[in-house]
PDB file of all heavy atoms in Angstrom:
ATOM      1  N   PRO A  24      26.637  61.962 -17.606  1.00 94.00           N
ATOM      2  CA  PRO A  24      26.180  63.071 -16.763  1.00 94.00           C
ATOM      3  C   PRO A  24      25.993  64.397 -17.494  1.00 94.00           C
ATOM      4  O   PRO A  24      25.273  65.266 -17.008  1.00 94.00           O
ATOM      5  CB  PRO A  24      27.253  63.173 -15.678  1.00 94.00           C
ATOM      6  CG  PRO A  24      28.424  62.414 -16.168  1.00 94.00           C
ATOM      7  CD  PRO A  24      27.930  61.422 -17.179  1.00 94.00           C
ATOM      8  N   ASP A  25      26.613  64.561 -18.660  1.00 95.00           N
ATOM      9  CA  ASP A  25      26.432  65.796 -19.423  1.00 95.00           C
ATOM     10  C   ASP A  25      25.118  65.813 -20.198  1.00 95.00           C
ATOM     11  O   ASP A  25      24.769  66.837 -20.784  1.00 95.00           O
ATOM     12  CB  ASP A  25      27.586  65.983 -20.413  1.00 95.00           C
ATOM     13  CG  ASP A  25      28.904  66.233 -19.708  1.00 95.00           C
ATOM     14  OD1 ASP A  25      28.900  66.763 -18.573  1.00 95.00           O
ATOM     15  OD2 ASP A  25      29.951  65.892 -20.294  1.00 95.00           O
ATOM     16  N   HIS A  26      24.408  64.689 -20.224  1.00 95.00           N
ATOM     17  CA  HIS A  26      23.197  64.592 -21.033  1.00 95.00           C
ATOM     18  C   HIS A  26      21.940  64.326 -20.211  1.00 95.00           C
ATOM     19  O   HIS A  26      20.985  63.730 -20.703  1.00 95.00           O
ATOM     20  CB  HIS A  26      23.376  63.524 -22.119  1.00 95.00           C
ATOM     21  CG  HIS A  26      24.364  63.951 -23.163  1.00 95.00           C
ATOM     22  ND1 HIS A  26      24.735  63.140 -24.201  1.00 95.00           N
ATOM     23  CD2 HIS A  26      25.051  65.096 -23.343  1.00 95.00           C
ATOM     24  CE1 HIS A  26      25.613  63.771 -24.958  1.00 95.00           C
ATOM     25  NE2 HIS A  26      25.816  64.955 -24.452  1.00 95.00           N
ATOM     26  N   TRP A  27      21.942  64.769 -18.954  1.00 96.00           N
ATOM     27  CA  TRP A  27      20.721  64.808 -18.165  1.00 96.00           C
ATOM     28  C   TRP A  27      20.827  65.982 -17.188  1.00 96.00           C
ATOM     29  O   TRP A  27      21.911  66.417 -16.841  1.00 96.00           O
ATOM     30  CB  TRP A  27      20.439  63.489 -17.445  1.00 96.00           C
ATOM     31  CG  TRP A  27      21.325  63.166 -16.269  1.00 96.00           C
ATOM     32  CD1 TRP A  27      22.486  62.452 -16.305  1.00 96.00           C
ATOM     33  CD2 TRP A  27      21.117  63.547 -14.908  1.00 96.00           C
ATOM     34  NE1 TRP A  27      23.022  62.364 -15.052  1.00 96.00           N
ATOM     35  CE2 TRP A  27      22.199  63.018 -14.158  1.00 96.00           C
ATOM     36  CE3 TRP A  27      20.140  64.261 -14.237  1.00 96.00           C
ATOM     37  CZ2 TRP A  27      22.318  63.198 -12.783  1.00 96.00           C
ATOM     38  CZ3 TRP A  27      20.250  64.441 -12.866  1.00 96.00           C
ATOM     39  CH2 TRP A  27      21.324  63.907 -12.153  1.00 96.00           C
ATOM     40  N   ARG A  28      19.648  66.493 -16.807  1.00 96.00           N
ATOM     41  CA  ARG A  28      19.609  67.631 -15.890  1.00 96.00           C
ATOM     42  C   ARG A  28      18.253  67.675 -15.190  1.00 96.00           C
ATOM     43  O   ARG A  28      17.252  67.175 -15.714  1.00 96.00           O
ATOM     44  CB  ARG A  28      19.862  68.926 -16.656  1.00 96.00           C
ATOM     45  CG  ARG A  28      18.816  69.185 -17.728  1.00 96.00           C
ATOM     46  CD  ARG A  28      19.186  70.335 -18.637  1.00 96.00           C
ATOM     47  NE  ARG A  28      18.182  70.489 -19.689  1.00 96.00           N
ATOM     48  CZ  ARG A  28      18.465  70.777 -20.938  1.00 96.00           C
ATOM     49  NH1 ARG A  28      19.722  70.946 -21.326  1.00 96.00           N
ATOM     50  NH2 ARG A  28      17.507  70.914 -21.830  1.00 96.00           N
ATOM     51  N   LEU A  29      18.254  68.302 -14.021  1.00 97.00           N
ATOM     52  CA  LEU A  29      17.012  68.609 -13.321  1.00 97.00           C
ATOM     53  C   LEU A  29      16.737  70.082 -13.553  1.00 97.00           C
ATOM     54  O   LEU A  29      17.628  70.917 -13.364  1.00 97.00           O
ATOM     55  CB  LEU A  29      17.135  68.310 -11.825  1.00 97.00           C
ATOM     56  CG  LEU A  29      17.312  66.840 -11.483  1.00 97.00           C
ATOM     57  CD1 LEU A  29      17.724  66.668 -10.035  1.00 97.00           C
ATOM     58  CD2 LEU A  29      16.031  66.075 -11.764  1.00 97.00           C
ATOM     59  N   ALA A  30      15.495  70.392 -13.989  1.00 94.00           N
ATOM     60  CA  ALA A  30      15.171  71.780 -14.302  1.00 94.00           C
ATOM     61  C   ALA A  30      13.691  72.043 -14.060  1.00 94.00           C
ATOM     62  O   ALA A  30      12.841  71.317 -14.581  1.00 94.00           O
ATOM     63  CB  ALA A  30      15.522  72.092 -15.761  1.00 94.00           C
ATOM     64  N   ASP A  31      13.399  73.048 -13.252  1.00 92.00           N
ATOM     65  CA  ASP A  31      12.016  73.515 -13.058  1.00 92.00           C
ATOM     66  C   ASP A  31      11.051  72.380 -12.720  1.00 92.00           C
ATOM     67  O   ASP A  31       9.976  72.274 -13.310  1.00 92.00           O
ATOM     68  CB  ASP A  31      11.529  74.274 -14.294  1.00 92.00           C
ATOM     69  CG  ASP A  31      12.421  75.466 -14.621  1.00 92.00           C
ATOM     70  OD1 ASP A  31      12.828  76.178 -13.691  1.00 92.00           O
ATOM     71  OD2 ASP A  31      12.722  75.664 -15.820  1.00 92.00           O
ATOM     72  N   GLY A  32      11.420  71.520 -11.785  1.00 91.00           N
ATOM     73  CA  GLY A  32      10.524  70.446 -11.348  1.00 91.00           C
ATOM     74  C   GLY A  32      10.379  69.318 -12.351  1.00 91.00           C
ATOM     75  O   GLY A  32       9.329  68.676 -12.413  1.00 91.00           O
ATOM     76  N   GLY A  33      11.417  69.053 -13.114  1.00 96.00           N
ATOM     77  CA  GLY A  33      11.376  67.943 -14.067  1.00 96.00           C
ATOM     78  C   GLY A  33      12.767  67.396 -14.327  1.00 96.00           C
ATOM     79  O   GLY A  33      13.773  68.055 -14.050  1.00 96.00           O
ATOM     80  N   LEU A  34      12.823  66.177 -14.825  1.00 97.00           N
ATOM     81  CA  LEU A  34      14.060  65.537 -15.243  1.00 97.00           C
ATOM     82  C   LEU A  34      14.110  65.598 -16.758  1.00 97.00           C
ATOM     83  O   LEU A  34      13.156  65.183 -17.426  1.00 97.00           O
ATOM     84  CB  LEU A  34      14.101  64.080 -14.780  1.00 97.00           C
ATOM     85  CG  LEU A  34      15.213  63.214 -15.357  1.00 97.00           C
ATOM     86  CD1 LEU A  34      16.586  63.683 -14.879  1.00 97.00           C
ATOM     87  CD2 LEU A  34      14.983  61.754 -14.989  1.00 97.00           C
ATOM     88  N   GLU A  35      15.204  66.121 -17.301  1.00 97.00           N
ATOM     89  CA  GLU A  35      15.363  66.216 -18.744  1.00 97.00           C
ATOM     90  C   GLU A  35      16.551  65.361 -19.164  1.00 97.00           C
ATOM     91  O   GLU A  35      17.632  65.459 -18.574  1.00 97.00           O
ATOM     92  CB  GLU A  35      15.548  67.670 -19.164  1.00 97.00           C
ATOM     93  CG  GLU A  35      14.321  68.504 -18.805  1.00 97.00           C
ATOM     94  CD  GLU A  35      14.473  69.981 -19.091  1.00 97.00           C
ATOM     95  OE1 GLU A  35      15.605  70.448 -19.360  1.00 97.00           O
ATOM     96  OE2 GLU A  35      13.446  70.686 -19.045  1.00 97.00           O
ATOM     97  N   ILE A  36      16.315  64.493 -20.155  1.00 96.00           N
ATOM     98  CA  ILE A  36      17.346  63.587 -20.648  1.00 96.00           C
ATOM     99  C   ILE A  36      17.475  63.783 -22.156  1.00 96.00           C
ATOM    100  O   ILE A  36      16.477  63.834 -22.870  1.00 96.00           O
ATOM    101  CB  ILE A  36      16.989  62.114 -20.340  1.00 96.00           C
ATOM    102  CG1 ILE A  36      16.840  61.885 -18.832  1.00 96.00           C
ATOM    103  CG2 ILE A  36      18.055  61.179 -20.918  1.00 96.00           C
ATOM    104  CD1 ILE A  36      16.375  60.483 -18.453  1.00 96.00           C
ATOM    105  N   ARG A  37      18.711  63.887 -22.612  1.00 95.00           N
ATOM    106  CA  ARG A  37      18.957  64.001 -24.053  1.00 95.00           C
ATOM    107  C   ARG A  37      18.723  62.635 -24.701  1.00 95.00           C
ATOM    108  O   ARG A  37      19.189  61.610 -24.211  1.00 95.00           O
ATOM    109  CB  ARG A  37      20.382  64.461 -24.325  1.00 95.00           C
ATOM    110  CG  ARG A  37      20.640  64.669 -25.793  1.00 95.00           C
ATOM    111  CD  ARG A  37      21.982  65.277 -26.033  1.00 95.00           C
ATOM    112  NE  ARG A  37      22.254  65.299 -27.457  1.00 95.00           N
ATOM    113  CZ  ARG A  37      23.369  65.781 -27.975  1.00 95.00           C
ATOM    114  NH1 ARG A  37      24.302  66.300 -27.193  1.00 95.00           N
ATOM    115  NH2 ARG A  37      23.553  65.756 -29.276  1.00 95.00           N
ATOM    116  N   VAL A  38      17.985  62.631 -25.811  1.00 94.00           N
ATOM    117  CA  VAL A  38      17.711  61.397 -26.545  1.00 94.00           C
ATOM    118  C   VAL A  38      18.928  61.091 -27.403  1.00 94.00           C
ATOM    119  O   VAL A  38      19.200  61.793 -28.371  1.00 94.00           O
ATOM    120  CB  VAL A  38      16.452  61.528 -27.425  1.00 94.00           C
ATOM    121  CG1 VAL A  38      16.076  60.171 -27.995  1.00 94.00           C
ATOM    122  CG2 VAL A  38      15.293  62.128 -26.657  1.00 94.00           C
ATOM    123  N   GLU A  39      19.637  60.045 -27.034  1.00 92.00           N
ATOM    124  CA  GLU A  39      20.854  59.682 -27.740  1.00 92.00           C
ATOM    125  C   GLU A  39      20.621  58.446 -28.598  1.00 92.00           C
ATOM    126  O   GLU A  39      19.663  57.709 -28.387  1.00 92.00           O
ATOM    127  CB  GLU A  39      21.973  59.423 -26.732  1.00 92.00           C
ATOM    128  CG  GLU A  39      22.297  60.672 -25.915  1.00 92.00           C
ATOM    129  CD  GLU A  39      23.510  60.519 -25.053  1.00 92.00           C
ATOM    130  OE1 GLU A  39      24.617  60.507 -25.622  1.00 92.00           O
ATOM    131  OE2 GLU A  39      23.359  60.407 -23.833  1.00 92.00           O
ATOM    132  N   PRO A  40      21.514  58.218 -29.578  1.00 91.00           N
ATOM    133  CA  PRO A  40      21.402  56.981 -30.351  1.00 91.00           C
ATOM    134  C   PRO A  40      21.522  55.773 -29.418  1.00 91.00           C
ATOM    135  O   PRO A  40      22.130  55.859 -28.357  1.00 91.00           O
ATOM    136  CB  PRO A  40      22.597  57.056 -31.309  1.00 91.00           C
ATOM    137  CG  PRO A  40      22.917  58.516 -31.406  1.00 91.00           C
ATOM    138  CD  PRO A  40      22.604  59.069 -30.044  1.00 91.00           C
ATOM    139  N   GLY A  41      20.954  54.679 -29.829  1.00 88.00           N
ATOM    140  CA  GLY A  41      21.014  53.450 -29.041  1.00 88.00           C
ATOM    141  C   GLY A  41      19.673  52.748 -29.093  1.00 88.00           C
ATOM    142  O   GLY A  41      18.687  53.294 -29.608  1.00 88.00           O
ATOM    143  N   VAL A  42      19.662  51.538 -28.570  1.00 87.00           N
ATOM    144  CA  VAL A  42      18.440  50.733 -28.516  1.00 87.00           C
ATOM    145  C   VAL A  42      18.285  50.191 -27.098  1.00 87.00           C
ATOM    146  O   VAL A  42      19.060  50.536 -26.209  1.00 87.00           O
ATOM    147  CB  VAL A  42      18.471  49.598 -29.567  1.00 87.00           C
ATOM    148  CG1 VAL A  42      18.428  50.156 -30.987  1.00 87.00           C
ATOM    149  CG2 VAL A  42      19.692  48.723 -29.381  1.00 87.00           C
ATOM    150  N   ALA A  43      17.322  49.321 -26.888  1.00 85.00           N
ATOM    151  CA  ALA A  43      16.987  48.846 -25.552  1.00 85.00           C
ATOM    152  C   ALA A  43      18.184  48.310 -24.772  1.00 85.00           C
ATOM    153  O   ALA A  43      18.324  48.577 -23.579  1.00 85.00           O
ATOM    154  CB  ALA A  43      15.898  47.784 -25.630  1.00 85.00           C
ATOM    155  N   ASP A  44      19.063  47.563 -25.432  1.00 84.00           N
ATOM    156  CA  ASP A  44      20.197  46.951 -24.732  1.00 84.00           C
ATOM    157  C   ASP A  44      21.407  47.878 -24.594  1.00 84.00           C
ATOM    158  O   ASP A  44      22.365  47.534 -23.901  1.00 84.00           O
ATOM    159  CB  ASP A  44      20.634  45.667 -25.441  1.00 84.00           C
ATOM    160  CG  ASP A  44      19.598  44.565 -25.321  1.00 84.00           C
ATOM    161  OD1 ASP A  44      18.832  44.565 -24.339  1.00 84.00           O
ATOM    162  OD2 ASP A  44      19.543  43.714 -26.221  1.00 84.00           O
ATOM    163  N   THR A  45      21.370  49.048 -25.264  1.00 87.00           N
ATOM    164  CA  THR A  45      22.513  49.954 -25.212  1.00 87.00           C
ATOM    165  C   THR A  45      22.120  51.363 -24.776  1.00 87.00           C
ATOM    166  O   THR A  45      22.938  52.278 -24.854  1.00 87.00           O
ATOM    167  CB  THR A  45      23.208  50.033 -26.589  1.00 87.00           C
ATOM    168  OG1 THR A  45      22.284  50.566 -27.548  1.00 87.00           O
ATOM    169  CG2 THR A  45      23.723  48.676 -27.034  1.00 87.00           C
ATOM    170  N   VAL A  46      20.886  51.544 -24.328  1.00 90.00           N
ATOM    171  CA  VAL A  46      20.377  52.857 -23.946  1.00 90.00           C
ATOM    172  C   VAL A  46      21.325  53.543 -22.962  1.00 90.00           C
ATOM    173  O   VAL A  46      21.886  52.907 -22.080  1.00 90.00           O
ATOM    174  CB  VAL A  46      18.945  52.734 -23.354  1.00 90.00           C
ATOM    175  CG1 VAL A  46      18.936  51.887 -22.098  1.00 90.00           C
ATOM    176  CG2 VAL A  46      18.360  54.108 -23.062  1.00 90.00           C
ATOM    177  N   LEU A  47      21.509  54.851 -23.165  1.00 87.00           N
ATOM    178  CA  LEU A  47      22.285  55.665 -22.243  1.00 87.00           C
ATOM    179  C   LEU A  47      21.336  56.427 -21.334  1.00 87.00           C
ATOM    180  O   LEU A  47      20.220  56.772 -21.724  1.00 87.00           O
ATOM    181  CB  LEU A  47      23.158  56.657 -23.012  1.00 87.00           C
ATOM    182  CG  LEU A  47      24.160  56.059 -23.990  1.00 87.00           C
ATOM    183  CD1 LEU A  47      24.863  57.163 -24.775  1.00 87.00           C
ATOM    184  CD2 LEU A  47      25.173  55.192 -23.261  1.00 87.00           C
ATOM    185  N   ASN A  48      21.796  56.715 -20.126  1.00 92.00           N
ATOM    186  CA  ASN A  48      21.028  57.522 -19.173  1.00 92.00           C
ATOM    187  C   ASN A  48      19.644  56.953 -18.887  1.00 92.00           C
ATOM    188  O   ASN A  48      18.659  57.684 -18.831  1.00 92.00           O
ATOM    189  CB  ASN A  48      20.920  58.975 -19.634  1.00 92.00           C
ATOM    190  CG  ASN A  48      22.195  59.743 -19.374  1.00 92.00           C
ATOM    191  OD1 ASN A  48      22.977  59.396 -18.493  1.00 92.00           O
ATOM    192  ND2 ASN A  48      22.413  60.789 -20.133  1.00 92.00           N
ATOM    193  N   ALA A  49      19.561  55.651 -18.683  1.00 94.00           N
ATOM    194  CA  ALA A  49      18.323  55.043 -18.195  1.00 94.00           C
ATOM    195  C   ALA A  49      18.320  55.189 -16.681  1.00 94.00           C
ATOM    196  O   ALA A  49      19.254  54.757 -16.011  1.00 94.00           O
ATOM    197  CB  ALA A  49      18.242  53.580 -18.594  1.00 94.00           C
ATOM    198  N   LEU A  50      17.297  55.824 -16.146  1.00 96.00           N
ATOM    199  CA  LEU A  50      17.184  56.024 -14.702  1.00 96.00           C
ATOM    200  C   LEU A  50      16.340  54.886 -14.137  1.00 96.00           C
ATOM    201  O   LEU A  50      15.163  54.760 -14.474  1.00 96.00           O
ATOM    202  CB  LEU A  50      16.559  57.380 -14.402  1.00 96.00           C
ATOM    203  CG  LEU A  50      16.542  57.799 -12.941  1.00 96.00           C
ATOM    204  CD1 LEU A  50      17.953  57.863 -12.353  1.00 96.00           C
ATOM    205  CD2 LEU A  50      15.828  59.133 -12.788  1.00 96.00           C
ATOM    206  N   CYS A  51      16.956  54.054 -13.305  1.00 97.00           N
ATOM    207  CA  CYS A  51      16.323  52.814 -12.824  1.00 97.00           C
ATOM    208  C   CYS A  51      16.132  52.834 -11.316  1.00 97.00           C
ATOM    209  O   CYS A  51      16.867  53.491 -10.592  1.00 97.00           O
ATOM    210  CB  CYS A  51      17.200  51.606 -13.163  1.00 97.00           C
ATOM    211  SG  CYS A  51      17.563  51.391 -14.901  1.00 97.00           S
ATOM    212  N   ARG A  52      15.148  52.041 -10.889  1.00 97.00           N
ATOM    213  CA  ARG A  52      14.953  51.830  -9.460  1.00 97.00           C
ATOM    214  C   ARG A  52      14.320  50.464  -9.254  1.00 97.00           C
ATOM    215  O   ARG A  52      13.689  49.934 -10.168  1.00 97.00           O
ATOM    216  CB  ARG A  52      14.117  52.921  -8.830  1.00 97.00           C
ATOM    217  CG  ARG A  52      12.694  53.024  -9.272  1.00 97.00           C
ATOM    218  CD  ARG A  52      11.900  54.055  -8.466  1.00 97.00           C
ATOM    219  NE  ARG A  52      11.971  53.817  -7.052  1.00 97.00           N
ATOM    220  CZ  ARG A  52      12.771  54.469  -6.190  1.00 97.00           C
ATOM    221  NH1 ARG A  52      13.541  55.431  -6.598  1.00 97.00           N
ATOM    222  NH2 ARG A  52      12.769  54.163  -4.920  1.00 97.00           N
ATOM    223  N   PRO A  53      14.488  49.878  -8.059  1.00 97.00           N
ATOM    224  CA  PRO A  53      13.838  48.589  -7.798  1.00 97.00           C
ATOM    225  C   PRO A  53      12.328  48.711  -7.964  1.00 97.00           C
ATOM    226  O   PRO A  53      11.711  49.689  -7.530  1.00 97.00           O
ATOM    227  CB  PRO A  53      14.213  48.290  -6.344  1.00 97.00           C
ATOM    228  CG  PRO A  53      15.449  49.103  -6.084  1.00 97.00           C
ATOM    229  CD  PRO A  53      15.295  50.337  -6.926  1.00 97.00           C
ATOM    230  N   ALA A  54      11.743  47.716  -8.600  1.00 96.00           N
ATOM    231  CA  ALA A  54      10.294  47.686  -8.797  1.00 96.00           C
ATOM    232  C   ALA A  54       9.641  47.081  -7.570  1.00 96.00           C
ATOM    233  O   ALA A  54      10.272  46.337  -6.816  1.00 96.00           O
ATOM    234  CB  ALA A  54       9.956  46.871 -10.040  1.00 96.00           C
ATOM    235  N   PRO A  55       8.367  47.368  -7.364  1.00 96.00           N
ATOM    236  CA  PRO A  55       7.669  46.732  -6.250  1.00 96.00           C
ATOM    237  C   PRO A  55       7.535  45.231  -6.490  1.00 96.00           C
ATOM    238  O   PRO A  55       7.589  44.769  -7.630  1.00 96.00           O
ATOM    239  CB  PRO A  55       6.303  47.424  -6.249  1.00 96.00           C
ATOM    240  CG  PRO A  55       6.142  47.978  -7.619  1.00 96.00           C
ATOM    241  CD  PRO A  55       7.514  48.259  -8.136  1.00 96.00           C
ATOM    242  N   ASP A  56       7.365  44.479  -5.413  1.00 96.00           N
ATOM    243  CA  ASP A  56       7.215  43.027  -5.498  1.00 96.00           C
ATOM    244  C   ASP A  56       5.831  42.699  -6.059  1.00 96.00           C
ATOM    245  O   ASP A  56       4.823  42.850  -5.373  1.00 96.00           O
ATOM    246  CB  ASP A  56       7.393  42.401  -4.117  1.00 96.00           C
ATOM    247  CG  ASP A  56       7.350  40.886  -4.143  1.00 96.00           C
ATOM    248  OD1 ASP A  56       6.982  40.293  -5.190  1.00 96.00           O
ATOM    249  OD2 ASP A  56       7.668  40.290  -3.098  1.00 96.00           O
ATOM    250  N   ARG A  57       5.799  42.243  -7.306  1.00 95.00           N
ATOM    251  CA  ARG A  57       4.523  41.948  -7.980  1.00 95.00           C
ATOM    252  C   ARG A  57       3.752  40.823  -7.316  1.00 95.00           C
ATOM    253  O   ARG A  57       2.553  40.673  -7.541  1.00 95.00           O
ATOM    254  CB  ARG A  57       4.774  41.596  -9.446  1.00 95.00           C
ATOM    255  CG  ARG A  57       5.326  42.750 -10.241  1.00 95.00           C
ATOM    256  CD  ARG A  57       5.490  42.385 -11.701  1.00 95.00           C
ATOM    257  NE  ARG A  57       6.715  41.636 -11.942  1.00 95.00           N
ATOM    258  CZ  ARG A  57       6.807  40.581 -12.728  1.00 95.00           C
ATOM    259  NH1 ARG A  57       5.750  40.116 -13.359  1.00 95.00           N
ATOM    260  NH2 ARG A  57       7.961  39.975 -12.913  1.00 95.00           N
ATOM    261  N   ASN A  58       4.405  40.011  -6.496  1.00 94.00           N
ATOM    262  CA  ASN A  58       3.693  38.951  -5.781  1.00 94.00           C
ATOM    263  C   ASN A  58       2.815  39.512  -4.666  1.00 94.00           C
ATOM    264  O   ASN A  58       1.996  38.799  -4.108  1.00 94.00           O
ATOM    265  CB  ASN A  58       4.681  37.932  -5.197  1.00 94.00           C
ATOM    266  CG  ASN A  58       5.320  37.093  -6.283  1.00 94.00           C
ATOM    267  OD1 ASN A  58       4.650  36.652  -7.212  1.00 94.00           O
ATOM    268  ND2 ASN A  58       6.626  36.896  -6.184  1.00 94.00           N
ATOM    269  N   GLU A  59       2.985  40.804  -4.353  1.00 95.00           N
ATOM    270  CA  GLU A  59       2.216  41.436  -3.279  1.00 95.00           C
ATOM    271  C   GLU A  59       1.006  42.215  -3.790  1.00 95.00           C
ATOM    272  O   GLU A  59       0.379  42.933  -3.030  1.00 95.00           O
ATOM    273  CB  GLU A  59       3.126  42.343  -2.455  1.00 95.00           C
ATOM    274  CG  GLU A  59       4.194  41.576  -1.703  1.00 95.00           C
ATOM    275  CD  GLU A  59       5.084  42.477  -0.871  1.00 95.00           C
ATOM    276  OE1 GLU A  59       4.805  43.686  -0.763  1.00 95.00           O
ATOM    277  OE2 GLU A  59       6.068  41.955  -0.322  1.00 95.00           O
ATOM    278  N   GLY A  60       0.696  42.116  -5.070  1.00 95.00           N
ATOM    279  CA  GLY A  60      -0.476  42.803  -5.587  1.00 95.00           C
ATOM    280  C   GLY A  60      -0.229  43.476  -6.918  1.00 95.00           C
ATOM    281  O   GLY A  60       0.781  43.245  -7.579  1.00 95.00           O
ATOM    282  N   ALA A  61      -1.158  44.343  -7.282  1.00 97.00           N
ATOM    283  CA  ALA A  61      -1.072  45.105  -8.534  1.00 97.00           C
ATOM    284  C   ALA A  61      -0.508  46.487  -8.228  1.00 97.00           C
ATOM    285  O   ALA A  61      -0.836  47.097  -7.198  1.00 97.00           O
ATOM    286  CB  ALA A  61      -2.445  45.221  -9.172  1.00 97.00           C
ATOM    287  N   PHE A  62       0.328  46.980  -9.149  1.00 98.00           N
ATOM    288  CA  PHE A  62       0.969  48.273  -8.969  1.00 98.00           C
ATOM    289  C   PHE A  62       0.864  49.083 -10.252  1.00 98.00           C
ATOM    290  O   PHE A  62       0.840  48.528 -11.349  1.00 98.00           O
ATOM    291  CB  PHE A  62       2.453  48.082  -8.609  1.00 98.00           C
ATOM    292  CG  PHE A  62       2.664  47.413  -7.296  1.00 98.00           C
ATOM    293  CD1 PHE A  62       2.719  46.026  -7.210  1.00 98.00           C
ATOM    294  CD2 PHE A  62       2.786  48.161  -6.132  1.00 98.00           C
ATOM    295  CE1 PHE A  62       2.900  45.402  -5.990  1.00 98.00           C
ATOM    296  CE2 PHE A  62       2.973  47.540  -4.911  1.00 98.00           C
ATOM    297  CZ  PHE A  62       3.026  46.156  -4.831  1.00 98.00           C
ATOM    298  N   ALA A  63       0.835  50.402 -10.095  1.00 98.00           N
ATOM    299  CA  ALA A  63       0.839  51.322 -11.231  1.00 98.00           C
ATOM    300  C   ALA A  63       2.111  52.158 -11.168  1.00 98.00           C
ATOM    301  O   ALA A  63       2.445  52.697 -10.104  1.00 98.00           O
ATOM    302  CB  ALA A  63      -0.383  52.223 -11.205  1.00 98.00           C
TER     303      ALA A  63
END
């Protein structure tokens, strides 16, 4: 929580060491159901 903030209409995240499997501060949400069409 010390390495992300909301500021002036944006989300700012500090780039920390790590790779795909160890990334810190990844902001996730459920993806749309791809069986229902194409999404952007």
